[in-house]
Amino acid sequence: MPEYHIVASTSELDDEGQIHVNINGIDILLCKHAGQYYAIDYYCNHAFLPMEGGNMQHGLITCPYHGAEFSLADGSAQAAPAWEALASYPVQVTDDVITVVIT
């Protein structure tokens, strides 16, 4: 059964903004890119460094440390040095409340 967790309000996340949230011990990077909200693993799986601060373009986020690229929509690895996907989590926005779904 999916669990919905309130993580932020829409006013807390500017366009192209990023916020680190923790849900039940899971570190997640909440992002707003091109008007859409996304939630992916906070740490890059290449070297376990934070994805926060990574450049977002064309639906991708680039790790600020080694340049690995991941899809914001599904976490899939798009460029080396990472080859495995990041976990991604469904996001819902109701009124100004952002929730992330943990299954």
Side-chain angles (χ1 to χ4, degrees), residues 3-103:
E3 294 181 44
Y4 295 81
H5 300 271
I6 297 172
V7 293
S9 70
T10 55
S11 63
E12 294 177 70
L13 205 56
D14 295 331
D15 288 333
E16 306 306 313
Q18 302 172 5
I19 297 174
H20 175 215
V21 298
N22 185 290
I23 302 172
N24 297 337
I26 302 170
D27 289 305
I28 295 172
L29 184 62
L30 181 65
C31 305
K32 183 178 181 183
H33 172 64
Q36 298 293 316
Y37 294 90
Y38 302 95
I40 59 171
D41 277 339
Y42 184 74
Y43 294 102
C44 180
N45 56 25
H46 163 250
F48 203 68
L49 293 167
M51 292 295 297
E52 190 169 11
N55 186 39
M56 296 184 292
Q57 286 187 319
H58 310 293
L60 302 176
I61 185 168
T62 303
C63 176
Y65 296 95
H66 298 112
E69 290 183 343
F70 300 91
S71 167
L72 287 165
D74 65 9
S76 60
Q78 301 293 309
W83 300 108
E84 294 182 28
L86 298 176
S88 64
Y89 305 90
V91 177
Q92 293 185 344
V93 179
T94 305
D95 298 322
D96 70 338
V97 176
I98 305 169
T99 58
V100 172
V101 179
I102 303 294
T103 54

